[in-house]
Amino acid sequence: MQQTLVPEAGVGTTEPSRRPQVVTAVAGFVIGGGVIGMLWALSGVNAGALEDAQDACSALARVGTIPDTTDSPGDRTVAVLAPEILHRMTAARELSAAAAAASDTYRPLAEHIDGVSRMVFSLHFNEIAGQRHLAQAEQLCTQL
């Protein structure tokens, strides 16, 4: 008969430590989670800002044709605007401001829509600056 020797527990049977593997796995998990969280947070801000800017442009388009009376400075061809036009203009201004607050990329759009809203709410359609803001806002909207 052949005799096999089995070592006693704790004698000559040292397994390599798994501590480096565990530390590496935990560090990888923490770093990966941080990167995923950062990307998720950044993508949500920009996506919301783009949607707000697009919605602002849609609201501005739904305002309709804004009269241009710059050729006749004393004439205000429209004395009163329908309430829905004023509500849409307010929506365009607020949505563009929300987009600009989320991302500076949309700040020029917000500034031009604000200039248009000031012209519309004051009923001074002969303001050259207001008409210029309208043209710039419409141009920026086509680029979204």
Side-chain angles (χ1 to χ4, degrees):
M1 279 200 164
Q2 189 176 20
Q3 203 177 19
T4 56
L5 296 173
V6 178
E8 291 181 22
V11 176
T13 58
T14 58
E15 291 186 26
S17 173
R18 292 187 184 221
R19 182 175 289 171
Q21 292 173 340
V22 171
V23 170
T24 303
V26 169
F29 180 76
V30 169
I31 291 171
V35 169
I36 297 285
M38 183 180 66
L39 292 174
W40 176 66
L42 291 174
S43 69
V45 168
N46 290 335
L50 175 60
E51 290 172 358
D52 286 345
Q54 290 171 336
D55 290 344
C57 290
S58 294
L60 181 62
R62 292 187 64 211
V63 166
T65 304
I66 296 175
D68 182 358
T69 60
T70 53
D71 293 338
S72 50
D75 187 19
R76 287 192 213 170
T77 58
V78 179
V80 177
L81 294 175
E84 62 271 9
I85 291 174
L86 298 176
H87 291 301
R88 288 181 185 131
M89 191 70 243
T90 301
R93 185 185 68 212
E94 293 302 317
L95 285 165
S96 66
S103 173
D104 283 338
T105 304
Y106 304 107
R107 186 147 319 280
L109 177 66
E111 291 171 356
H112 289 302
I113 289 180
D114 182 58
V116 173
S117 72
R118 283 184 273 124
M119 176 183 69
V120 168
F121 294 141
S122 70
L123 299 175
H124 290 117
F125 299 107
N126 59 354
E127 288 182 7
I128 295 171
Q131 294 295 334
R132 188 180 71 244
H133 283 301
L134 177 61
Q136 290 293 320
E138 289 171 342
Q139 180 184 6
L140 290 171
C141 285
T142 61
Q143 296 171 2
L144 293 180

